[in-house]
Amino acid sequence: MGCVVNGPGESKHADIGISLPGTGEEPRAPVYVDGHLRTTLKGDAIPEQFARLLDDYVERRFGAVAPRD
């Protein structure tokens, strides 16, 4: 959704948003759901962790999710 500077503010206005670390920064990415901080993802698996959170959010809000390839 955005960088560590603007991302948190932008993410708070989204249904689900993530603020990604910049180059050389510690791999930490806060995730906001419906305007509230839900969790902070850490480590090298941030993309996979966020994909699972996103799938869970979509399933809860809209129903079943199509399987990923």
Side-chain angles (χ1 to χ4, degrees):
M1 177 101 220
C3 67
V4 70
V5 175
N6 295 324
E10 295 167 345
S11 295
K12 287 178 185 176
H13 296 285
D15 293 332
I16 185 168
I18 187 168
S19 178
L20 297 172
T23 303
E25 293 180 334
E26 184 178 348
R28 296 173 48 99
V31 176
Y32 294 83
V33 177
D34 296 324
H36 302 281
L37 179 63
R38 170 150 183 223
T39 190
T40 299
L41 305 178
K42 301 172 187 168
D44 295 331
I46 289 172
E48 294 82 7
Q49 293 170 3
F50 183 68
R52 282 192 301 274
L53 286 173
L54 185 58
D55 286 344
D56 290 345
Y57 179 84
V58 170
E59 185 171 355
R60 277 194 318 273
R61 184 145 184 205
F62 302 106
V65 176
R68 292 184 180 270
D69 291 334

